[in-house]
Amino acid sequence: SHLHIGSPLRNLTSLVQVEEDNRPNCAFDQFRKKLATFLNHFLPSHHIPLPDGIKCFLHSEAFIESLTLFQKVHEHHYLKVHYESTTTWKLATDYSDSKNPSFHGHEHRNSTLIHTQDKDGNDKNIFIKLLFMFKHTVHEHTLDLTLVLPMDASPPSPEFITLHSIICGALLVPDFDNHGDYFLVGYVDTDMSLRVRRNLI
């Protein structure tokens, strides 16, 4: 694998508790329902059986209830990503955490570049903010997942992705004159500068 997820919390957390603990953050609204929707598409596409013989749990209240009562996740705070540098064509490594609760007195979320597809199935790369990284086990398959905030839409809408879609880390700085806009900082990251110049983003 090109990534390693680490720094796990000591105990697993129920999905209900995740919602309760993050109630002030609207990005976690309907966390269980959004996760059920994501798994409904992700599991069949990766040939992983759905829980309890359910054929489709999109909009399934029974499955969402099972998430409420039984399902737990293991939150992690550390991510190491290996990628091929466009500067040297050698293996490089980025280190990220999902959140820093007190970075110069403010909460900070790290950003990354990911590979995904648009609604028409076309490949594209976009920037996202990491919100909540976790491991979730379904039928003995352990999934490395994260809740993210995609930066390619305004306003951005939180969604789940697999951590394995991450390409590398990215440094984004808010544009304080335009709320919701960000600058990509490339002068400290020659790899990212070349990705922009070569239209690899």
Side-chain angles (χ1 to χ4, degrees), residues 130-178:
L130 296 168
L131 299 179
F132 184 83
M133 297 190 300
F134 61 98
K135 288 181 178 286
H136 180 53
T137 301
V138 179
H139 271 302
E140 301 181 352
H141 293 269
T142 299
L143 310 176
D144 299 324
L145 306 176
T146 180
L147 181 68
V148 303
L149 199 62
M151 310 304 291
D152 64 333
S154 182
S157 177
E159 62 183 59
F160 289 96
I161 65 168
T162 170
L163 283 166
H164 295 273
S165 64
I166 292 177
I167 299 172
C168 61
L171 178 57
L172 301 179
V173 177
D175 179 356
F176 296 104
D177 292 329
N178 296 284

Side-chain angles (χ1 to χ4, degrees), residues 37-106:
T37 301
F38 169 79
L39 292 176
N40 181 69
H41 297 284
F42 181 84
L43 297 181
S45 67
H46 289 76
H47 309 291
I48 300 174
L50 303 184
D52 302 321
I54 298 173
K55 293 183 178 179
C56 177
F57 46 67
L58 183 61
H59 307 308
S60 167
E61 294 299 327
F63 179 73
I64 294 174
E65 183 67 15
S66 75
L67 287 180
T68 302
L69 296 176
F70 307 114
Q71 298 291 323
K72 293 185 177 183
V73 297
H74 203 178
E75 182 179 0
H76 288 62
H77 286 177
Y78 171 80
L79 181 67
K80 179 168 66 175
V81 181
H82 303 295
Y83 64 97
E84 185 180 60
S85 169
T86 57
T87 306
T88 63
W89 301 113
K90 295 180 179 180
L91 192 68
T93 304
D94 278 340
Y95 304 90
S96 299
D97 52 32
S98 58
K99 63 181 177 181
N100 186 330
S102 183
F103 182 77
H104 296 286
H106 300 278

